[in-house]
Short mmCIF file of all heavy atoms in Angstrom, two decimals:
data_model
loop_
_atom_site.label_atom_id
_atom_site.label_comp_id
_atom_site.label_asym_id
_atom_site.label_seq_id
_atom_site.Cartn_x
_atom_site.Cartn_y
_atom_site.Cartn_z
N SER A 116 8.96 68.02 25.35
CA SER A 116 7.80 67.46 24.78
C SER A 116 6.50 67.98 25.46
O SER A 116 6.22 67.66 26.57
CB SER A 116 7.80 65.90 24.88
OG SER A 116 6.61 65.37 24.52
N VAL A 117 5.84 68.88 24.67
CA VAL A 117 4.66 69.61 25.26
C VAL A 117 3.35 68.77 25.20
O VAL A 117 3.27 67.93 24.33
CB VAL A 117 4.55 70.92 24.55
CG1 VAL A 117 3.24 71.59 24.84
CG2 VAL A 117 5.70 71.85 24.88
N THR A 118 2.53 68.92 26.08
CA THR A 118 1.25 68.18 26.08
C THR A 118 0.53 68.21 24.70
O THR A 118 0.40 69.29 24.12
CB THR A 118 0.24 68.72 27.09
OG1 THR A 118 0.79 68.73 28.45
CG2 THR A 118 -1.04 68.06 27.13
N GLY A 119 0.18 67.07 24.24
CA GLY A 119 -0.57 67.10 23.00
C GLY A 119 0.28 66.95 21.77
O GLY A 119 -0.20 66.74 20.66
N SER A 120 1.61 67.17 21.95
CA SER A 120 2.52 67.09 20.77
C SER A 120 2.83 65.64 20.39
O SER A 120 2.62 64.75 21.27
CB SER A 120 3.80 67.90 21.06
OG SER A 120 4.61 67.23 22.07
N GLU A 121 3.32 65.48 19.26
CA GLU A 121 3.74 64.06 18.82
C GLU A 121 4.92 64.29 17.93
O GLU A 121 4.78 64.73 16.82
CB GLU A 121 2.55 63.50 18.01
CG GLU A 121 2.65 61.97 17.96
CD GLU A 121 1.40 61.38 17.21
OE1 GLU A 121 0.22 61.96 17.45
OE2 GLU A 121 1.54 60.43 16.57
N LEU A 144 10.11 65.69 29.57
CA LEU A 144 8.71 65.28 29.41
C LEU A 144 7.73 66.28 29.95
O LEU A 144 7.31 66.20 31.10
CB LEU A 144 8.51 63.87 30.05
CG LEU A 144 9.07 62.68 29.12
CD1 LEU A 144 10.49 62.79 28.96
CD2 LEU A 144 8.65 61.35 29.81
N GLY A 145 7.38 67.22 29.15
CA GLY A 145 6.43 68.21 29.55
C GLY A 145 7.10 69.46 30.15
O GLY A 145 8.16 69.32 30.77
N GLU A 149 3.39 69.79 33.70
CA GLU A 149 2.53 69.49 32.56
C GLU A 149 2.81 68.03 32.12
O GLU A 149 3.90 67.55 32.16
CB GLU A 149 2.84 70.39 31.40
CG GLU A 149 2.25 70.06 30.04
CD GLU A 149 2.80 70.89 28.95
OE1 GLU A 149 4.00 70.68 28.60
OE2 GLU A 149 2.21 71.88 28.55
N ASP A 150 1.77 67.29 31.62
CA ASP A 150 1.92 65.97 31.11
C ASP A 150 2.64 66.10 29.79
O ASP A 150 2.47 67.04 29.01
CB ASP A 150 0.58 65.28 30.93
CG ASP A 150 0.01 64.78 32.20
OD1 ASP A 150 0.78 64.64 33.15
OD2 ASP A 150 -1.25 64.69 32.27
N PRO A 151 3.46 65.07 29.44
CA PRO A 151 4.23 65.13 28.20
C PRO A 151 3.34 64.76 27.01
O PRO A 151 2.23 64.18 27.15
CB PRO A 151 5.35 64.06 28.32
CG PRO A 151 4.67 63.09 29.23
CD PRO A 151 3.82 63.86 30.23
N GLY A 152 3.76 65.18 25.87
CA GLY A 152 3.23 64.65 24.60
C GLY A 152 3.92 63.34 24.31
O GLY A 152 4.55 62.72 25.15
N ARG A 153 3.65 62.77 23.07
CA ARG A 153 4.27 61.54 22.69
C ARG A 153 5.62 61.88 22.03
O ARG A 153 5.69 62.71 21.10
CB ARG A 153 3.44 60.85 21.60
CG ARG A 153 4.05 59.63 20.98
CD ARG A 153 4.08 58.46 21.87
NE ARG A 153 4.53 57.25 21.19
CZ ARG A 153 3.85 56.37 20.48
NH1 ARG A 153 2.56 56.59 20.30
NH2 ARG A 153 4.43 55.32 19.90
N LEU A 154 6.67 61.28 22.59
CA LEU A 154 8.03 61.58 22.11
C LEU A 154 8.70 60.24 21.77
O LEU A 154 8.81 59.43 22.65
CB LEU A 154 8.75 62.37 23.07
CG LEU A 154 10.21 62.72 22.71
CD1 LEU A 154 10.27 63.56 21.45
CD2 LEU A 154 10.88 63.45 23.86
N CYS A 174 8.02 57.55 24.73
CA CYS A 174 7.33 57.82 25.98
C CYS A 174 6.15 58.84 25.71
O CYS A 174 6.01 59.31 24.63
CB CYS A 174 8.27 58.44 26.96
SG CYS A 174 9.30 59.74 26.41
N GLY A 175 5.30 58.83 26.61
CA GLY A 175 4.12 59.68 26.51
C GLY A 175 2.89 58.88 26.09
O GLY A 175 2.95 57.64 25.86
N PRO A 176 1.72 59.46 25.95
CA PRO A 176 0.51 58.83 25.58
C PRO A 176 0.63 58.08 24.33
O PRO A 176 1.20 58.60 23.31
CB PRO A 176 -0.50 60.02 25.38
CG PRO A 176 0.12 61.17 26.10
CD PRO A 176 1.62 61.03 26.08
#
Side-chain angles (χ1 to χ4, degrees):
Chain A
S116 171
V117 167
T118 300
S120 68
E121 199 178 325
L144 280 63
E149 170 189 76
D150 285 335
R153 171 79 176 272
L154 178 60
C174 48

